[in-house]
């Protein structure tokens, strides 16, 4: 039963072949075991596991258990956003996305680990220890981030499916590194009410699943206007489960600027943002080329396009997201909830020690960056400028979608890297999101599907690590995006259960 | 920290290279407006719930060191 | 968090607030709590003195994951204010975050408006409006003091009931020149807002708050001097006194050759002293940026129509109408229009259908003069025993000379004490004016005979000598004779 996708489990439960409570119990036991065996074979996917089994859940999701990223408020259940400053925080309400899924019949199995306040690409920034990638038998590689716990749990078969969030790539990148499906919907599709905020104009909730069908199923039950979120919107048509077998007539564009990423790190030469320079790991290049051929065999017309401002997307993102975050995280001041530094001598002391003790280094770094970019005298050069770059990127995509129906890129420049490999060089870490950030800035939907594994013949450090393919479409094109991703998924035949523990 | 920050700043400062004259800034990627709320009361949190996670409470309020002046 | 308050060098006692070479330039920043049912960004009902933290929710407590949603009624009331002030309503306005740390600010930022406010420009009376925008109120900090110290320092408790209440901030251009003018204008604003029904505008309760920006400059100069901001004055009197004290303080400094520091100041009415709150020079960088959780506010036809429909007649318009339609003097018109209850009483009296009808100006004079003088200060005449109809009848009778002025005053006193109908009172107390005619003529004749010397002096051209004769007639008639008529009869009978 643990090998079933969520959709398959729903069908089996509806057909009376599977008992939902038994399913929940099995998953719960395995999740609990993972929690107990951290650093001894466990992956550290979870920050909290349900202690009981819910009563029979009814609804279209029939009781299939759901793992939920730590930053979603779940009433009475710790919601910490991976941070010490919220350790043990119990919200008095449940996030809309989680409530909708629960009401559709998906009970809460566990909360999953993440980079602190969703800032990171490896889950190494969690205050509760990193999560490990189940594809690596040595257990020394990252699952990606910030939704690393959700991705690893699904990849390891410890949860049938999971809810994550994506701000610059935090669903898609871990999905790619963990060989599963991850979808970032059109901005505004899913209510942000109850999502502990990182960057308000970029954050979006989305599914991490074993296949595209499950992603569609979860999305279908989450979308829709929420009166509690002024930025939420309705899709004009309901989300449907995919069924396409071919890609005849589908025009796929490959942006010249997003076939390579810049050389990593601070040693970055000024030439790095010109198209065609820099690198993508050989495994990624090979798998991407193979996926492209596969798409052509299915009848797609693949051509090169240009997104001229895409090379500046990462820079703009690392102005906008930290700026919004610096403001969103101001509420963590020790007054009403969360950590308060002990024996504070005065108010200022209370504020500064609480935040000094409660925030990790990456969060502090981004708060400083954001505060700087918003400060008077620098606002025009940084924040306002970055907003203009954002406009240009959105225009680039709009122009591209006049000529093509889908845009394809590798999801990440490389496969899962080692713990500690990029932690001393922030920009090297940020480059993990090079291909995913432009879609976040434009607010358009994008999905990552697994398209292959690294091989010895690539000449890489480690074989057998997954590679992701990213497909993006215009705003509100989820149904078509899911349909075409499904067709490719079927053709690629990637085995998602290979990493199950 | 300072070294890392300044390295990041060098990278983000590259947005300064682009010619962005006359480009309107995007503050909301969602191109709609409104979403105003009807002026109808909704249930408030019971006080004990509002105070439940507070580090320090006194006389029904959140207790903090006084701001000076 | 900042230095303790400094008391500034005060001008010598008795120093005047007017200086020959400097003029004061005053602008006001007014915060008005809007009369909505719920808060600006959440559905909590507004609180009036309830126990602390009983009107809160995830949003106004700033709990993680909460999001604001703007109150449509607050936007509507903001538009009504803008229309009333003749402002330009922005077709699109946006919310901004104003970032700073303080315990009464749960999110660590206030949602306000910055460079794209709801309304720009406008005018009320002599004062131009700079802008009107919407924002949320802060929570309340209650100093607990020694009784609740934390780790040796003083403590405060935070009550979030008020946090999130919708505010309209109205900023004027620096068009005011004297403390009295500022206070009077603020009263006009208050009456206007009250008449619109957008707020309780009660300074004691805090639904109307006013800060003043004050600077001095040489008379005739067009440039502005360094300004200070004076805060926390919670009555019209204190505003006037505070501004006066600050003007005096600045003059004292300038006369001594010093410079004005740009800072935020506090006025203490008890001691009449100005103290510093914090230096505006180290002005906080609020790092304003557009609020990503809220969409722009676009004004559509429906909203505009609704705002227009909500506009009642404003004091200035009412005064103008009184002058135009009823030929009231400018002064009378303004007196009646700027105190809504007097204007209402006046119009009710006119509409009462009294016969003979009272002339509007006479009625106006009786309301703003005789009636107001007899009522407790600020009392609404409608709350007293004199009905509009009764006063209309009385003034009509006076105009028809059925009663004399003296008698009318007596009737008014009786009306105030017991209510009733003027005609009945006149009858009961025998106050009817004497008909000009034989009876009066006979009494005048008798008075002339009794005051022959005075009569002779009047014949010789000494007009003042008529006094004793008229007095005699008044005594004889117990004030029921009309003075003008008596004088006329005297002159007629004397042949002068």
């Amino acid at each position: 039963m643990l090998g079933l996708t969520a959709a398959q489990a729903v069908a089996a439960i509806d057909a009376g072949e599977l008992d939902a409570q038994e399913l929940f119990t099995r998953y719960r036991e395995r999740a609990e075991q993972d929690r107990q065996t951290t650093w001894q074979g466990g992956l550290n996917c979870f920050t909290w596991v349900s202690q009981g089994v819910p009563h029979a859940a009814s609804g279209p999701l029939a009781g299939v258990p759901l793992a939920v990223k730590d930053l979603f408020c779940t009433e009475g259940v710790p919601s910490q956003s991976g941070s010490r400053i919220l350790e043990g925080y119990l919200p008095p309400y449940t996030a809309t996305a989680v409530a909708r899924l629960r009401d559709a019949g998906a009970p809460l199995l566990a909360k999953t680990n993440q980079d602190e306040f969703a800032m990171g690409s490896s889950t190494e920034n969690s205050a509760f220890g990193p999560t490990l990638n189940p594809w690596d038998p040595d257990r020394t590689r990252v699952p990606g981030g910030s939704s690393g716990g959700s991705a690893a749990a699904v990849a390891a078969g410890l949860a049938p499916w999971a809810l994550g969030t994506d701000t610059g790539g935090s669903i898609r990148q871990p999905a790619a590194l963990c060989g599963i499906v991850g979808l970032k919907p059109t901005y505004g599709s899913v209510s942000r009410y109850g999502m502990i905020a990182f960057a308000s104009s970029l954050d979006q909730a989305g599914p991490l699943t074993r296949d595209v069908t499950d992603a569609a199923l979860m999305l279908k039950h989450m979308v829709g206007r929420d009166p509690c979120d002024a930025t939420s919107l309705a899709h004009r048509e309901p989300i449907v489960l995919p069924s396409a077998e071919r890609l005849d007539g589908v025009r796929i564009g490959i942006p010249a600027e997003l076939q390579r990423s810049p050389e990593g790190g601070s040693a970055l030469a000024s030439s790095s943002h010109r198209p065609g320079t820099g690198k993508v790991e050989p495994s990624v290049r090979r798998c991407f080329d193979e996926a492209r051929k596969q798409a052509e065999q299915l009848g797609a017309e693949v051509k090169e396009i240009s997104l001229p401002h895409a090379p500046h997307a990462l820079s703009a993102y690392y102005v906008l997201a930290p700026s919004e975050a610096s403001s969103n995280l101001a509420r963590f001041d020790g007054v009403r909830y969360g950590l308060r530094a002990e024996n504070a001598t005065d108010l200022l002391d209370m504020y500064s020690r609480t935040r000094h003790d409660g925030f990790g280094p990456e969060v502090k770094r981004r708060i400083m960056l954001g505060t700087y970019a918003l400060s008077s005298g620098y606002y025009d050069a940084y924040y306002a400028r970055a907003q203009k770059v954002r406009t240009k990127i959105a225009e680039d995509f709009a122009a591209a979608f006049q000529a093509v129906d889908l845009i394809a890129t590798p999801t990440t420049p490389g496969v899962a890297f080692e713990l500690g490999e990029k932690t001393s060089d922030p920009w090297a870490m940020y480059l993990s999101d090079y291909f995913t950030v432009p879609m976040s800035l434009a607010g358009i939907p994008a999905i990552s599907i697994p398209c292959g594994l690294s091989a010895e013949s690539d000449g890489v450090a480690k074989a057998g690590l997954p590679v992701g393919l990213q497909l993006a479409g215009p705003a509100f094109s989820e149904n078509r995006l899911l349909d075409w991703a499904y067709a490719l998924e079927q053709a690629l035949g990637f085995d998602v259960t290979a990493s199950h523990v | 920290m300072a070294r890392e920050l300044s390295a990041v700043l060098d990278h983000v400062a590259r947005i300064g290279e682009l010619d962005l004259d006359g480009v309107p800034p995007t503050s909301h990627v969602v191109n709609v407006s409104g979403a105003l709320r009807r002026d109808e009361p909704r249930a408030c949190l019971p006080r004990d719930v509002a105070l439940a996670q507070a580090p320090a409470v006194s006389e029904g309020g959140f207790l903090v060191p006084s701001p000076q002046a | 968090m900042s230095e303790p308050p400094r008391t500034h060098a005060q001008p010598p006692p008795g120093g005047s607030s007017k200086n020959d070479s400097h003029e004061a330039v005053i602008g006001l920043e007014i915060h008005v709590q809007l009369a909505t049912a719920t808060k600006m960004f959440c559905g909590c009902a507004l609180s009036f003195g309830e126990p602390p933290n009983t009107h809160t929710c995830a949003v106004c407590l700033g709990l993680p994951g909460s999001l604001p949603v703007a109150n449509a009624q607050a936007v509507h009331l903001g538009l009504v204010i803008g229309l009333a002030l003749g402002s330009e309503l922005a077709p699109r306005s946006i919310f901004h975050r104003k970032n700073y740390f303080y315990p009464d600010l749960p999110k660590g930022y206030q949602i306000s408006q910055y460079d794209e406010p709801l309304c720009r420009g406008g005018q009320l009376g002599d004062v131009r409006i700079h802008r009107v925008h919407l924002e949320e109120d802060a929570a309340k900090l209650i100093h607990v003091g020694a009784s609740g110290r934390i780790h040796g320092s003083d403590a405060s408790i935070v009550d979030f009931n008020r946090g999130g209440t919708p505010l309209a901030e109205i900023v004027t251009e620096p068009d005011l020149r004297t403390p009295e003018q500022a206070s009077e204008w603020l009263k006009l604003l208050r009456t206007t807002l009250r008449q619109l029904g957008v707020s309780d505008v009660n300074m004691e309760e805090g639904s109307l708050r006013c800060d003043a920006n004050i600077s001095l400059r040489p008379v005739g100069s067009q440039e502005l001097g360094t300004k200070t901001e004076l805060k926390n004055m919670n009555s019209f009197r204190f505003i006037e006194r505070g501004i006066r004290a600050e003007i005096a303080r600045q003059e004292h400094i300038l006369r001594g050759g010093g410079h004005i520091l740009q800072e935020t100041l506090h006025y203490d009415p008890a001691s009449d002293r100005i103290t510093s709150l914090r230096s505006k020079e180290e002005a906080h960088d609020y790092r304003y940026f557009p609020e990503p959780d809220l969409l722009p506010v676009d004004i559509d036809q429906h909203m505009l129509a609704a705002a227009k429909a909500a506009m009642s007649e404003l004091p200035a318009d009412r005064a103008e109408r009184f002058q135009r339609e009823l030929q009231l003097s400018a002064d009378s018109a303004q007196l009646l229009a700027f105190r809504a209850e007097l204007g209402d009483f006046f119009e009710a009296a006119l509409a009462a259908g009294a016969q003979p009808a009272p002339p509007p100006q006479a009625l106006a004079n009786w309301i703003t003069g005789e009636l107001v003088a007899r009522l407790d200060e600020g009392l609404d005449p409608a709350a007293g025993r004199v009905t509009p109809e009764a006063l209309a009848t009385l003034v009509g009778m006076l105009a028809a000379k059925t009663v004399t002025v003296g008698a009318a005053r007596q009737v008014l006193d009786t009306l105030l004490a017991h209510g009733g109908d003027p005609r009945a009172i006149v009858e009961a107390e025998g106050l009817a004016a004497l008909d000009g005619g034989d009876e009066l003529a006979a009494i005048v004749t008798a008075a002339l005979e009794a005051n022959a010397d005075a009569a002779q002096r009047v014949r010789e051209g000494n007009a003042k000598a008529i006094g004793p004769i008229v007095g005699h007639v008044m005594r004889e008639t117990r004030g029921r004779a009309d003075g003008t008529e008596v004088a006329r009869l005297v002159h007629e009978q004397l042949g002068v």
Side-chain angles (χ1 to χ4, degrees), chain C residues 175-443:
Chain C
D175 290 347
L176 296 157
R177 295 286 173 268
T178 72
E180 299 78 14
Q181 192 191 5
S183 170
E184 280 311 301
W185 186 84
L186 193 60
K187 287 179 189 160
L188 172 59
L189 178 68
R190 181 183 171 273
T191 307
T192 305
L193 295 176
R194 194 162 135 211
Q195 195 153 335
L196 289 170
V198 299
S199 168
D200 291 340
V201 277
N202 184 320
M203 289 196 83
E204 284 77 39
E205 288 175 2
S207 48
L208 176 67
R209 294 174 226 156
C210 182
D211 302 331
N213 290 311
I214 302 147
S215 65
L216 297 187
R217 67 181 174 196
V219 170
S221 162
Q222 290 307 306
E223 295 193 355
L224 294 170
T226 306
K227 68 176 177 192
T228 58
E229 185 180 4
L230 196 56
K231 291 180 95 75
N232 297 337
M233 300 166 290
N234 58 12
S235 77
F236 294 106
R237 265 199 358 267
F238 292 164
I239 286 170
E240 201 178 309
R241 287 168 52 191
I243 295 176
R244 188 172 299 123
E246 174 56 12
I247 291 171
R249 186 191 75 87
Q250 288 196 15
E251 270 172 359
H252 182 68
I253 292 175
L254 290 176
R255 251 184 273 144
H259 296 290
I260 307 298
L261 247 181
Q262 186 177 17
E263 54 187 338
T264 304
L265 301 165
H266 169 78
Y267 173 67
D268 178 23
S271 63
D272 202 40
R273 296 181 100 69
I274 306 280
T275 53
S276 171
L277 279 180
R278 54 185 176 269
S279 172
K280 226 178 176 184
E281 212 140 28
E282 330 146 352
H284 211 291
D285 180 2
Y286 293 115
R287 299 191 304 282
Y288 284 100
F289 70 100
E291 169 59 84
D293 291 331
L294 291 171
L295 299 178
V297 177
D298 283 354
I299 307 303
D300 62 27
Q301 288 309 311
H302 292 295
M303 293 162 84
L304 203 49
K308 287 192 175 147
M311 293 264 295
S312 48
E313 185 187 39
L314 299 171
D317 296 330
R318 198 181 205 186
E320 192 265 338
R321 178 168 63 82
F322 284 166
Q323 285 185 253
R324 187 173 25 92
E325 290 178 9
L326 302 171
Q327 281 79 54
L328 291 193
S329 71
D331 281 344
S332 295
Q334 199 169 67
L335 281 165
L336 289 172
F338 285 15
R339 262 189 74 188
E341 43 293 8
L342 296 186
D344 292 345
F345 192 89
F346 172 70
E347 295 206 75
L350 280 178
Q355 290 297 329
Q361 184 63 56
L363 183 59
N365 293 342
W366 270 76
I367 292 173
T368 61
E370 303 288 342
L371 183 59
V372 164
R374 285 167 172 74
L375 292 172
D376 289 340
E377 189 183 338
L379 189 70
D380 184 348
R385 293 197 180 88
V386 188
T387 65
E389 189 181 358
L391 187 66
T393 305
L394 183 60
V395 175
M397 289 166 71
L398 181 60
K401 298 189 192 290
T402 321
V403 288
T404 63
V405 171
R409 286 189 182 126
Q410 268 182 267
V411 173
L412 185 58
D413 288 333
T414 306
L415 284 172
L416 273 162
H418 306 294
D421 169 44
R423 274 172 301 242
I425 294 169
V426 163
E427 179 115 8
E429 296 182 25
L431 294 171
L434 279 184
D435 252 329
D438 297 336
E439 196 190 339
L440 186 59
I443 297 174

Side-chain angles (χ1 to χ4, degrees), chain B residues 44-47 50 60, chain C residues 44 47 50-56 159-161:
Chain B
C44 291
L45 288 176
R47 178 157 77 189
Chain C
C44 287
S47 154
E50 272 85 346
N53 295 302
T54 50
H55 280 242
T56 68
D159 170 16
F160 288 93
N161 283 351

Side-chain angles (χ1 to χ4, degrees), chain B residues 23-64:
Chain B
V23 178
T26 297
S27 52
H28 295 89
V29 75
V30 166
N31 191 22
V32 288
S33 64
L36 299 176
R37 177 179 53 85
R38 288 233 295 262
D39 188 27
E40 286 159 3
R42 300 187 61 201
C44 291
L45 288 176
R47 178 157 77 189
D48 57 308
V49 173
L51 297 173
Q53 303 290 303
V57 169
S58 172
E59 296 171 42
F62 297 85
L63 191 65
V64 294

Side-chain angles (χ1 to χ4, degrees), chain A residues 89-90 92 187 230 233 265 268 273 312 315 334-337 340 347 350 361 365 369 385 387-388 391 427 441-442, chain B residues 1 4 8-9 11-12 14-18 20 23-27 29-30 35 49 53-56 62-65:
Chain A
Y89 172 69
L90 304 176
Y187 181 84
L233 316 145
L268 189 60
H273 56 277
H312 287 86
S315 299
V335 172
R336 290 144 290 125
Y337 47 78
R340 180 192 289 201
L347 188 65
M350 183 187 93
R365 184 166 24 246
L369 201 48
R385 229 158 203 273
Q387 285 189 314
K388 294 181 177 187
T391 303
W427 198 257
L441 289 174
Chain B
M1 174 72 83
E4 290 164 344
V8 171
L9 266 176
H11 289 299
V12 305
R14 278 190 280 124
I15 57 176
E17 297 162 351
L18 294 168
L20 297 169
V23 178
T26 297
S27 52
V29 75
V30 166
V49 173
Q53 303 290 303
F62 297 85
L63 191 65
V64 294

Side-chain angles (χ1 to χ4, degrees), chain A residues 166-435:
Chain A
D166 191 307
T167 304
S170 291
I171 285 177
R172 293 162 285 161
Q173 184 255 19
L177 299 197
C178 286
I180 60 168
V181 172
L183 169 70
K184 181 200 83 67
T186 304
Y187 181 84
S189 297
V190 181
S191 167
R192 289 184 297 116
Y193 188 72
M195 273 169 50
I196 299 175
F198 160 23
S200 317
S201 73
L202 296 156
D203 292 345
Q204 264 301 278
L208 289 110
T209 56
R210 294 180 192 181
D211 65 12
V212 176
T213 303
D214 276 1
L217 183 62
M218 191 190 295
L219 185 67
K220 179 179 153 130
H221 292 282
M222 286 201 299
V223 292
R225 264 227 86 221
D226 178 13
C228 291
D229 176 356
T231 61
S232 69
L233 316 145
H235 279 239
R236 251 172 258 126
E237 24 169 62
I239 304 295
V240 296
L241 298 189
S243 58
E245 290 171 356
R246 293 204 39 94
L247 296 175
D248 296 302
V250 179
R251 300 162 301 166
I252 300 181
I254 298 183
E257 298 83 0
L258 295 180
Q259 295 191 59
R260 303 279 185 267
S261 87
E263 297 273 359
S266 327
L268 189 60
S270 59
S271 64
S272 62
H273 56 277
R274 286 206 310 269
T277 61
K279 65 176 190 185
V280 147
E281 283 180 12
S283 309
V284 174
R285 198 178 317 130
R286 176 181 54 78
C287 291
F288 183 72
D289 287 343
E290 282 167 10
R292 174 201 179 130
K293 287 195 199 98
Q294 191 65 246
E296 282 169 328
Q297 275 167 30
L298 288 176
E301 182 198 330
V302 179
K303 51 185 171 174
E304 201 164 270
I305 58 162
S306 176
L307 297 173
H309 296 84
H312 287 86
L314 198 63
S315 299
Y317 174 83
Y318 275 101
V319 170
L320 294 173
S323 296
E324 293 182 11
S326 71
S327 179
N328 284 330
L329 269 59
R331 67 190 63 200
F332 301 107
D333 56 10
V335 172
R336 290 144 290 125
Y337 47 78
L339 183 73
R340 180 192 289 201
E342 308 240 337
N343 301 321
T345 52
D346 60 29
L347 188 65
L348 190 56
D349 185 45
M350 183 187 93
Y351 282 156
S352 48
R353 275 205 293 125
T354 295
R355 293 164 66 82
H356 180 269
D357 295 347
F359 289 143
E362 182 60 34
V363 168
K364 285 180 178 141
R365 184 166 24 246
R366 296 201 195 187
I367 290 176
M368 282 193 263
L369 201 48
T371 305
Y372 181 73
L374 288 174
S375 59
S376 127
Y378 296 97
Y379 180 94
D380 287 335
Y382 287 98
Y383 190 82
R385 229 158 203 273
Q387 285 189 314
K388 294 181 177 187
V389 175
R390 190 170 192 178
T391 303
K392 295 308 283 184
I393 288 171
E395 285 173 9
D396 286 356
F397 275 111
F401 285 124
Q402 298 295 314
V404 298
D405 305 301
L406 273 187
I407 286 174
T409 75
T411 307
T412 61
V415 296
F417 44 91
E418 298 269 18
L419 290 169
E421 184 181 323
K422 299 186 196 238
T423 50
S424 55
D425 189 344
W427 198 257
M429 183 71 84
Y430 298 165
L431 282 169
S432 314
D433 293 333
Y434 191 74
F435 298 129

Side-chain angles (χ1 to χ4, degrees), chain A residues 89-115:
Chain A
Y89 172 69
L90 304 176
Y93 72 105
T94 294
T96 299
V98 176
R100 284 182 176 173
L101 291 171
R102 175 201 63 206
D103 293 344
L108 181 64
L109 170 69
K111 300 297 289 290
T112 59
N113 198 18
Q114 57 167 88
D115 282 297

